[in-house]
Amino acid sequence: DTAVSQTPKYLVTQMGNDKSIKCEQNLGHDTMYWYKQDSKKFLKIMFSYNNKELIINETVPNRFSPKSPDKAHLNLHINSLELGDSAVYFCASSRDSASYEQYFGPGTRLTVT
Amino acid sequence: RKEVEQDPGPFNVPEGATVAFNCTYSNSASQSFFWYRQDCRKEPKLLMSVYSSGNEDGRFTAQLNRASQYISLLIRDSKLSDSATYLCVVSSYNQGGKLIFGQGTELSVKP
């Protein structure tokens, strides 16, 4: 069974479009995260939710909007996609917000043309 | 200055070699430290936590020097399967417990 799953795995789209990435974890964890890994391999946190509540919101353009319908799901919606949004987006989860061991999903490789 | 700095490499070593990676962090309030491993085009996975007293897991040894704000990872008897990027990770309560990742050090073990 996949612990943290993301869909889609690959996403190619044009500038200006709106797209969503979905994430689900079956570990029973309370906390979920979205990270962005750019072409230089830096992995940076974007958002964190604990039991459906937003607890970390980094300096991210408001074109990015996370939504957590329940604690097992954290989706990421991106409006008006730009070339600079091209990256790998990883979802992760941890037992709770104080737990430092995070389990990552396989990543969604987003390419904006 | 980046919060967590690592030599990006790549480190190219023969099988059986010993290799050491270094990492420095800028936030003196950091209190938790880790090494994650990321295989090419895969997700990061926790390799080991790093404690002040140092800790060992098989061929891997991690050390922390709080005074110098320096973390290291030593890999002995390198295997081909050790080829990956090793990410130094730091966390602190004054940043809400979020993980700060270094750029990663790429290791390539050759036969």
Side-chain angles (χ1 to χ4, degrees), chain A residues 10 35 37 40-43 45 56 58 90 100-102 104-106 109, chain B residues 2 31-32 34 36 38 41-44 46 91 93 97-99 101 103:
Chain A
Y10 299 96
Y35 286 87
Q37 189 168 40
K40 294 186 178 178
K41 306 289 181 68
F42 276 105
L43 193 63
I45 191 165
I56 293 175
E58 290 296 286
F90 286 101
Y100 296 113
E101 181 169 8
Q102 296 183 11
F104 284 76
R109 189 169 295 272
Chain B
K2 297 186 182 74
Q31 84 278 18
S32 297
F34 312 90
Y36 273 68
Q38 186 172 22
R41 300 179 82 84
K42 298 283 189 181
E43 71 273 20
L46 179 65
S91 185
Y93 284 131
K98 70 181 181 185
L99 299 183
F101 285 77
Q103 185 180 7

Side-chain angles (χ1 to χ4, degrees), chain B residues 1 3 5 23-30 33 64-71:
Chain B
R1 182 186 173 189
E3 291 187 72
E5 296 208 55
C23 167
T24 57
Y25 60 95
S26 60
N27 185 352
S28 58
S30 300
F33 311 90
L64 167 66
N65 183 323
R66 285 186 186 270
S68 303
Q69 294 181 199
Y70 169 94
I71 307 161

Side-chain angles (χ1 to χ4, degrees), chain A:
Chain A
D1 280 345
T2 303
V4 182
S5 58
Q6 293 179 230
T7 52
K9 193 167 183 181
Y10 299 96
L11 186 53
V12 181
T13 188
Q14 291 185 327
M15 284 175 58
N17 285 348
D18 303 338
K19 290 292 177 186
S20 292
I21 307 171
K22 295 186 176 182
C23 178
E24 176 181 1
Q25 54 95 3
N26 63 7
L27 298 166
H29 287 170
D30 285 347
T31 309
M32 296 185 73
Y33 311 82
W34 276 111
Y35 286 87
K36 177 181 180 180
Q37 189 168 40
D38 60 25
S39 57
K40 294 186 178 178
K41 306 289 181 68
F42 276 105
L43 193 63
K44 290 187 178 176
I45 191 165
M46 301 172 69
F47 303 103
S48 172
Y49 272 73
N50 187 61
N51 264 321
K52 302 192 298 175
E53 286 192 25
L54 182 67
I55 56 171
I56 293 175
N57 185 354
E58 290 296 286
T59 307
V60 175
N62 58 15
R63 298 182 295 104
F64 290 79
S65 52
K67 282 191 172 53
S68 183
D70 55 62
K71 73 173 194 177
H73 295 84
L74 180 61
N75 304 323
L76 183 65
H77 187 76
I78 315 170
N79 288 327
S80 303
L81 278 155
E82 300 178 357
L83 293 176
D85 297 333
S86 296
V88 182
Y89 292 84
F90 286 101
C91 176
S93 74
S94 62
R95 188 183 62 223
D96 51 49
S97 57
S99 175
Y100 296 113
E101 181 169 8
Q102 296 183 11
Y103 295 80
F104 284 76
T108 295
R109 189 169 295 272
L110 171 65
T111 303
V112 183
T113 61

